[in-house]
Amino acid sequence: MEEKSLAEIQREVDRYISQFKEGYFSPLALLARMSEEVGELAREVNHTYGEKPKKVTEAENSIELELGDILFITACFANSLGIDLTEAHNKVMHKFNARDADRWTKVDTD
Protein backbone atom coordinates (compact mmCIF):
# COMPACT_ATOMS: atom_id res chain seq x y z
CA MET A 1 0.00 0.00 0.00
CA GLU A 2 1.32 3.44 -0.89
CA GLU A 3 2.23 5.94 1.81
CA LYS A 4 0.37 9.26 1.68
CA SER A 5 1.12 12.61 3.27
CA LEU A 6 -1.55 14.49 5.19
CA ALA A 7 -1.73 16.95 2.27
CA GLU A 8 -2.37 14.07 -0.14
CA ILE A 9 -5.07 12.69 2.15
CA GLN A 10 -6.72 16.10 2.34
CA ARG A 11 -6.66 16.44 -1.46
CA GLU A 12 -8.04 12.92 -1.94
CA VAL A 13 -10.90 13.60 0.48
CA ASP A 14 -11.59 16.93 -1.24
CA ARG A 15 -11.77 15.25 -4.65
CA TYR A 16 -14.22 12.73 -3.22
CA ILE A 17 -16.45 15.33 -1.52
CA SER A 18 -16.29 17.71 -4.52
CA GLN A 19 -18.18 15.26 -6.72
CA PHE A 20 -21.35 15.84 -4.66
CA LYS A 21 -23.52 18.97 -4.86
CA GLU A 22 -24.00 18.93 -1.09
CA GLY A 23 -20.26 19.39 -0.45
CA TYR A 24 -18.96 19.44 3.10
CA PHE A 25 -21.30 19.32 6.06
CA SER A 26 -21.40 22.29 8.43
CA PRO A 27 -18.80 22.41 11.23
CA LEU A 28 -21.45 21.45 13.78
CA ALA A 29 -22.58 18.45 11.71
CA LEU A 30 -18.95 17.39 11.21
CA LEU A 31 -18.36 17.60 14.96
CA ALA A 32 -21.41 15.40 15.53
CA ARG A 33 -20.12 12.90 12.95
CA MET A 34 -16.69 12.91 14.58
CA SER A 35 -18.28 12.30 17.99
CA GLU A 36 -20.19 9.35 16.54
CA GLU A 37 -17.02 7.88 15.07
CA VAL A 38 -15.07 8.32 18.31
CA GLY A 39 -17.91 6.50 20.09
CA GLU A 40 -17.65 3.65 17.59
CA LEU A 41 -13.88 3.52 18.16
CA ALA A 42 -14.45 3.39 21.92
CA ARG A 43 -16.86 0.50 21.44
CA GLU A 44 -14.33 -1.45 19.36
CA VAL A 45 -11.53 -0.80 21.86
CA ASN A 46 -13.82 -1.92 24.68
CA HIS A 47 -14.68 -5.12 22.78
CA THR A 48 -11.03 -5.84 21.98
CA TYR A 49 -9.29 -4.77 25.19
CA GLY A 50 -12.04 -4.19 27.71
CA GLU A 51 -14.44 -6.27 29.69
CA LYS A 52 -17.37 -6.00 27.29
CA PRO A 53 -17.38 -8.75 24.65
CA LYS A 54 -19.30 -8.27 21.43
CA LYS A 55 -22.77 -9.70 21.12
CA VAL A 56 -23.06 -12.44 18.52
CA THR A 57 -25.56 -10.26 16.64
CA GLU A 58 -23.12 -7.31 16.34
CA ALA A 59 -21.40 -6.69 13.02
CA GLU A 60 -17.69 -7.26 12.64
CA ASN A 61 -15.70 -4.06 12.73
CA SER A 62 -12.18 -3.07 13.60
CA ILE A 63 -10.17 -0.43 15.39
CA GLU A 64 -8.34 0.17 12.10
CA LEU A 65 -11.56 1.02 10.23
CA GLU A 66 -12.80 3.26 13.04
CA LEU A 67 -9.50 5.16 13.06
CA GLY A 68 -9.81 5.45 9.28
CA ASP A 69 -13.30 6.91 9.66
CA ILE A 70 -11.96 9.44 12.18
CA LEU A 71 -9.13 10.39 9.80
CA PHE A 72 -11.65 10.90 6.97
CA ILE A 73 -13.90 13.10 9.12
CA THR A 74 -10.84 15.02 10.39
CA ALA A 75 -9.80 15.71 6.79
CA CYS A 76 -13.35 16.80 5.94
CA PHE A 77 -13.43 19.11 8.96
CA ALA A 78 -10.05 20.65 8.13
CA ASN A 79 -10.87 21.04 4.43
CA SER A 80 -14.22 22.68 5.16
CA LEU A 81 -12.45 25.28 7.33
CA GLY A 82 -9.39 25.73 5.11
CA ILE A 83 -7.01 24.20 7.66
CA ASP A 84 -3.77 22.56 6.52
CA LEU A 85 -3.43 19.45 8.71
CA THR A 86 0.34 19.27 8.16
CA GLU A 87 0.72 22.81 9.48
CA ALA A 88 -1.64 22.03 12.37
CA HIS A 89 0.39 18.90 13.20
CA ASN A 90 3.66 20.84 13.11
CA LYS A 91 2.26 23.45 15.50
CA VAL A 92 1.01 20.77 17.90
CA MET A 93 4.35 18.92 17.86
CA HIS A 94 6.17 22.18 18.57
CA LYS A 95 3.82 22.79 21.49
CA PHE A 96 4.39 19.29 22.92
CA ASN A 97 8.16 19.42 22.40
CA ALA A 98 8.39 22.77 24.16
CA ARG A 99 5.84 22.30 26.92
CA ASP A 100 6.51 18.65 27.70
CA ALA A 101 10.29 18.54 27.10
CA ASP A 102 10.97 17.35 30.65
CA ARG A 103 7.56 15.99 31.59
CA TRP A 104 8.07 12.31 30.77
CA THR A 105 10.88 9.86 31.40
CA LYS A 106 12.99 9.56 28.24
CA VAL A 107 13.93 6.16 26.87
CA ASP A 108 17.59 5.42 27.55
CA THR A 109 19.31 5.33 24.14
CA ASP A 110 22.74 4.15 25.34
Side-chain angles (χ1 to χ4, degrees), residues 1-16 24 71-72 75 79 84-86:
M1 175 120 325
E2 72 179 279
E3 200 170 295
K4 298 176 186 178
S5 69
L6 282 172
E8 290 167 329
I9 290 169
Q10 282 191 259
R11 286 191 295 272
E12 183 177 11
V13 168
D14 193 59
R15 283 190 302 273
Y16 174 77
Y24 290 103
L71 180 60
F72 178 81
N79 287 352
D84 179 331
L85 285 174
T86 301

Side-chain angles (χ1 to χ4, degrees), residues 41-82:
L41 173 63
R43 188 171 183 83
E44 287 303 314
V45 169
N46 196 22
H47 289 319
T48 304
Y49 299 104
E51 291 73 36
K52 186 178 179 187
K54 237 178 214 193
K55 298 175 189 171
V56 291
T57 57
E58 286 185 272
E60 281 300 313
N61 214 338
S62 72
I63 292 171
E64 178 185 33
L65 288 176
E66 295 306 336
L67 286 170
D69 285 343
I70 291 168
L71 180 60
F72 178 81
I73 296 299
T74 300
C76 286
F77 212 149
N79 287 352
S80 74
L81 298 174

Side-chain angles (χ1 to χ4, degrees), residues 29-42 66 70:
L30 286 167
L31 182 58
R33 291 278 319 274
M34 185 176 287
S35 297
E36 289 175 19
E37 296 301 342
V38 169
E40 291 174 15
L41 173 63
E66 295 306 336
I70 291 168

Side-chain angles (χ1 to χ4, degrees), residues 85-102 106:
L85 285 174
T86 301
E87 186 177 323
H89 170 76
N90 290 340
K91 288 177 180 177
V92 167
M93 289 309 299
H94 175 74
K95 175 183 76 173
F96 285 136
N97 285 322
R99 183 188 69 195
D100 296 337
D102 299 315
K106 302 263 187 199

